Amino acid sequence: MKKILFVCVENAGRSQMAEAFFRKYMPKGFEAISAGTKPSVQVNLIVSQAMKEIDIDIENQTPKYISRQIIDESEKAINMGCIDKESCPALFLKDIVDWQIPDPKGKSIEEVRKIRDQIKTKVLILIKSLEENI
């Protein structure tokens, strides 16, 4: 199995959405994992609500700390974007793709829906490129 790693600082919003979309649409032979450099205690409730609206439940997901093992086992790493430059996962990973997705933390449900849809589009493009390279 080839692991695709989605990372952000808190692993409570963007990377959780990306992991969920990848799991829903992923090609055979791949799996998704997400993690953060400073994981939150729980998934962002507004993010969970926005995902539930499209029948994807991430409410019981737990933010995870990015470990060397997770990094080493990953085929590809996607950084969701960083505001906190000191904790940015891109500083710790080589060959990382940075999507520059806005952080949903503190945003309204309308803004989170736009972020969710942006992530879905990027994940589908990523999957298409992975399928073309199989």
Side-chain angles (χ1 to χ4, degrees):
M1 283 290 211
K2 294 179 180 178
K3 289 185 182 176
I4 305 300
L5 172 63
F6 297 97
V7 293
C8 62
V9 175
E10 293 186 347
N11 188 222
R14 298 166 292 179
S15 55
Q16 290 284 350
M17 287 190 278
E19 177 185 359
F21 280 124
F22 195 87
R23 285 183 190 277
K24 181 169 182 163
Y25 300 110
M26 70 185 162
K28 285 187 181 198
F30 286 89
E31 64 179 286
I33 188 166
S34 66
T37 52
K38 290 184 178 175
S40 184
V41 177
Q42 67 182 29
V43 171
N44 180 314
L45 296 175
I46 302 288
V47 166
S48 180
Q49 178 186 340
M51 292 299 281
K52 204 173 274 187
E53 291 175 355
I54 57 167
D55 295 321
I56 298 176
D57 186 356
I58 63 169
E59 189 175 7
N60 294 319
Q61 288 291 99
T62 305
K64 296 169 282 310
Y65 180 76
I66 190 167
S67 67
R68 175 52 54 195
Q69 181 179 353
I70 289 173
I71 294 165
D72 291 345
E73 291 176 354
S74 299
E75 180 83 11
K76 182 181 271 305
I78 312 289
N79 185 49
M80 304 310 291
C82 286
I83 295 169
D84 181 356
K85 296 298 179 198
E86 290 178 15
S87 301
C88 185
L91 297 173
F92 310 107
L93 302 171
K94 60 180 172 44
D95 302 327
I96 190 165
V97 176
D98 197 333
W99 282 355
Q100 295 297 312
I101 306 276
D103 191 344
K105 188 175 185 177
K107 304 261 190 315
S108 69
I109 186 70
E110 291 80 16
E111 292 171 298
V112 173
R113 286 180 187 127
K114 288 176 187 169
I115 293 168
R116 174 199 67 199
D117 296 344
Q118 184 181 6
I119 292 170
K120 179 180 179 183
T121 299
K122 291 219 175 243
V123 167
L124 291 174
I125 291 167
L126 170 65
I127 289 171
K128 186 172 184 183
S129 75
L130 293 172
E131 289 173 332
E132 288 170 356
N133 292 314
I134 291 178

